[in-house]
Amino acid sequence: MILGRSPKRSHGASAVVTGAGSGIGAAFAIELSRRGSAVVCSDIDDDAARGTVEAITGAGGRATAVHCDVSAIDEVTALANTAQSWFGHPPTLVINNAGVGAGGQPIGEMALDDWTWTLGINLWGPIHGCHVFTPILREARSEQPRGIINVASAASFGAAPEMAAYNVSKAGVLSLSETLAAELSGTGIGVTVLCPTFVKTNIVESGRITAQSSEAANLLMRWTGLSAQRVARDCLDTHDRGGLYCMPQLDAKISWNIKRFAPETFTRTIGLAFRASAALPGRSD
Ligand SMILES: NC(=O)c1ccc[n+]([C@@H]2O[C@H](COP(=O)([O-])OP(=O)(O)OC[C@H]3O[C@@H](n4cnc5c(N)ncnc54)[C@H](O)[C@@H]3O)[C@@H](O)[C@H]2O)c1
C-alpha cells in the first residue's frame, strides 16, 4: 500500500485540521504539535476548538482556533484565507477530519433530512476541503513536503445495515481520496485516507443515531475501540511513509481484503449476520 518514499510531512508542518475540537481531530492536532507543527484547529464548536488550542499552547506548542462549518463552502474558503494569514504562507498539510455519525434506520425509513445532514458534513466537507486546499497546496513553493489526509472509515467498504447515509458518505471520501492521489501523482503532494473501525470518541453521543443502535455502537466502541491518539499517530506515520490507505485495526484490514477478493460473499455474510441479529430477543423491529 506504500506508493512511494516521501519526507516526513507531519513534522514541522503548517497544518489545518477540521473537527479539531474532539476525538480524532483533537488527537491529530495535539500529535502534530508534538511533532513540531503549527496547527490551525477548526471546528463548528468554537469552545471545543479553543480547548484543543489550550492543550497545545499549554504544552508549549503553536495553535489557533478558527470557526468553520465544513458543509459550507464559504466557511472553508474563509478557513483557508485565515490559515494562510496566520501561518504567513500556505498550509503544508490539511486534514479533512470533521464528521458526524448517523444510523439506526433502514433505507426508506431514515429521514431524508438526516441523509442531507450526514452527506453535507461527511462527504461535502472533504469535497470542500479538497476543492479549496488542493490548488493552494499545488501552488505552494515550500521546502516542507505537502499532503492531504481525508478521514473516511471502514464503513466506506463495509455495507453495515441501517447505516446507509454514513456508509455512502464514507465510500465517497474513499473514492475522492483515491482519485486525488491519482491526480496528484508526481506532484510531491501525498494523500492518505484513514479507514478505522471503532475509535473511542464522542461520535455516537453527538450524532443522529437511534437509541438501540447507540447502545450497540457504544458497547463495540468500549470493547474494541482504539484510542484516538493511537489512530492519529498511526495515520500520521502512514502519511509520512507515503501510504495511501491507513487501516489502523486488524478487523478493518481483514474486511478490506475479503471485500476486495470475495465481494458477494462479503455482502451476503453481512446480510445473514443482520438477519440473525434481528431475530435475537430484545430486538424490536
Ligand atoms: N469514532 C469512530 O469510531 C470513527 C470511526 C471511523 C471514522 N471516524 C471518523 O472520524 C472523524 C472524527 O470523528 P470523531 O470520532 O473524532 O468524532 P467526534 O464527535 O469526537 O469529533 C467530531 C468533531 O467534528 C466537529 N464537527 C461536527 N460537525 C462539523 C461541521 N459541520 N464542521 C466542522 N466541524 C464539525 C464536532 O464539533 C467535533 O469536534 C469523522 O469523520 C468520523 O466519521 C470515526
Side-chain angles (χ1 to χ4, degrees):
M1 292 194 198
I2 304 298
L3 288 186
R5 274 196 309 155
S6 62
K8 293 191 168 180
R9 297 186 170 88
S10 70
H11 293 250
S14 300
V16 176
V17 182
T18 68
S22 172
I24 300 171
F28 267 129
I30 291 167
E31 180 60 26
L32 280 164
S33 172
R34 285 206 187 101
R35 296 176 185 213
S37 303
V39 192
V40 170
C41 299
S42 78
D43 205 289
I44 197 170
D45 179 338
D46 297 337
D47 287 342
R50 276 195 291 272
T52 304
V53 168
E54 277 163 25
I56 290 173
T57 53
R62 196 166 159 248
T64 189
V66 178
H67 177 89
C68 177
D69 174 352
V70 296
S71 68
I73 183 64
D74 292 355
E75 296 199 19
V76 178
T77 303
L79 169 65
N81 292 335
T82 308
Q84 296 203 69
S85 306
W86 188 71
F87 292 129
H89 54 77
T92 61
L93 176 61
V94 177
I95 305 188
N96 293 306
N97 160 78
V100 289
Q105 288 170 308
I107 296 166
E109 288 179 32
M110 184 178 193
L112 283 179
D113 181 53
D114 290 342
W115 274 92
T116 306
W117 178 72
T118 307
L119 294 178
I121 299 167
N122 289 6
L123 179 56
W124 277 101
I127 292 172
H128 290 154
C130 292
H131 177 77
V132 168
F133 283 102
T134 302
I136 294 171
L137 289 171
R138 270 184 188 276
E139 280 161 29
R141 294 279 167 261
S142 159
E143 293 291 299
Q144 173 72 24
R146 294 152 291 155
I148 296 185
I149 296 174
N150 290 329
V151 178
S153 163
S156 60
F157 50 84
E162 302 189 340
M163 284 186 58
Y166 189 80
N167 296 343
V168 168
S169 70
K170 295 302 183 177
V173 176
L174 181 61
S175 177
L176 174 73
S177 309
E178 291 170 331
T179 308
L180 188 66
E183 289 180 0
L184 292 178
S185 169
T187 63
I189 304 172
V191 178
T192 298
V193 58
L194 173 62
C195 300
T197 45
F198 283 100
V199 187
K200 293 184 175 102
T201 70
N202 295 318
I203 193 162
V204 175
E205 286 74 26
S206 58
R208 296 187 185 180
I209 304 175
T210 58
Q212 192 173 38
S213 295
S214 292
E215 204 180 310
N218 272 325
L219 268 181
L220 282 167
M221 197 176 270
R222 214 171 309 133
W223 288 343
T224 68
L226 281 186
S227 73
Q229 292 74 16
R230 165 85 188 279
V231 169
R233 275 200 308 272
D234 272 14
C235 184
L236 292 175
D237 290 345
T238 301
H239 189 62
D240 284 350
R241 290 196 301 272
L244 171 57
Y245 302 99
C246 177
M247 294 180 196
Q249 290 121 319
L250 186 62
D251 51 357
K253 288 187 184 102
I254 292 172
S255 302
W256 167 253
N257 282 303
I258 299 176
K259 173 71 181 274
R260 282 195 307 161
F261 294 114
E264 291 210 11
T265 307
F266 180 86
T267 305
R268 284 206 186 109
T269 307
I270 290 178
L272 284 173
F274 179 59
R275 277 158 58 197
S277 78
L280 289 174
R283 184 109 200 167
S284 58
D285 47 347

